[in-house]
Amino acid sequence: DYDNSDHIIELLNDDGSVWNSINLYNEMTLIEDFDIIAFKPDYFIFKIKCKEKNRDFYRVVVNEETGLTKRLSISSKLKLQTWEEYVIDVFSVDFSPSEIPILDKIDGTPISELPNQNHIIVPKEIKGEWMRIIWTNSDYPTNDSVNFSGWIKWKKSNKILVTIYHLS
């Protein structure tokens, strides 16, 4: 028999009872009221927002739309990341350059070479609320592609302003 208990995450109610158990490697059922930042078991992606941490557990948001929170016991199988660590580790980001201008430097001036709508925009560096992004001049980057770079405001206070893509 295969013991997959190490792949199970138990989300707890405040009284310590189990609200729901999630198998990180094989979650095929829909869980009512479960809507986290990213959950793609086939790609080993489980991203959940942590609101609070104490000695024994994390308080996590299990439903981004309603703000529903549950407890999650602290475990070595979980890795707590800052927003900066999280967003720099994604595949790509997207945003509207008319709403979030791309600047030549932090607090600089808008640049003229903007990415096309279907270009992949990759986060490369974070400095506070600023993110340095890169993209190429072609839809399918090659060795001859020209890379462009600029800075955008990616968050304001605790609100992320860009759309995050974990997968291509």
Side-chain angles (χ1 to χ4, degrees):
D1 285 335
Y2 175 67
D3 177 13
N4 69 352
S5 61
D6 191 39
H7 309 137
I8 304 295
I9 295 232
E10 289 187 334
L11 296 161
L12 308 172
N13 294 309
D14 286 340
D15 64 6
S17 63
V18 176
W19 177 73
N20 226 312
S21 293
I22 298 170
N23 183 330
L24 295 177
Y25 292 166
N26 188 20
E27 186 58 49
M28 301 307 284
T29 59
L30 292 175
I31 301 169
E32 190 176 338
D33 291 329
F34 187 71
D35 179 23
I36 63 174
I37 295 172
F39 184 48
K40 308 268 188 233
D42 43 343
Y43 292 96
F44 307 107
I45 295 175
F46 178 85
K47 303 288 185 177
I48 192 166
K49 186 186 298 177
C50 177
K51 301 282 283 180
E52 171 190 341
K53 176 186 177 193
N54 70 24
R55 201 182 73 205
D56 301 318
F57 67 88
Y58 301 110
R59 165 90 39 210
V60 295
V61 178
V62 295
N63 189 307
E64 286 291 321
E65 188 175 324
T66 66
L68 179 65
T69 64
K70 295 296 175 183
R71 292 176 14 178
L72 182 58
S73 295
I74 292 178
S75 163
S76 61
K77 61 184 159 184
L78 301 173
K79 176 182 169 190
L80 190 63
Q81 290 181 307
T82 65
W83 280 112
E84 291 77 10
E85 292 167 332
Y86 164 68
V87 77
I88 204 71
D89 196 33
V90 300
F91 172 73
S92 67
V93 296
D94 195 20
F95 58 93
S96 170
S98 63
E99 295 173 22
I100 300 174
I102 304 174
L103 308 179
D104 61 347
K105 60 185 177 185
I106 294 173
D107 283 326
T109 57
I111 63 172
S112 58
E113 183 65 42
L114 298 177
N116 288 340
Q117 185 176 4
N118 50 349
H119 286 173
I120 297 169
I121 301 170
V122 180
K124 294 306 278 182
E125 182 181 355
I126 299 288
K127 288 190 178 178
E129 293 185 339
W130 293 92
M131 172 190 290
R132 187 172 68 83
I133 56 172
I134 64 166
W135 66 96
T136 68
N137 64 346
S138 62
D139 293 342
Y140 302 100
T142 66
N143 290 338
D144 298 324
S145 298
V146 175
N147 287 327
F148 297 95
S149 177
W151 288 87
I152 61 169
K153 193 94 160 196
W154 72 278
K155 77 172 187 165
K156 186 172 185 172
S157 300
N158 282 330
K159 183 177 183 337
I160 294 180
L161 304 174
V162 298
T163 301
I164 295 172
Y165 294 103
H166 298 92
L167 306 170
S168 62

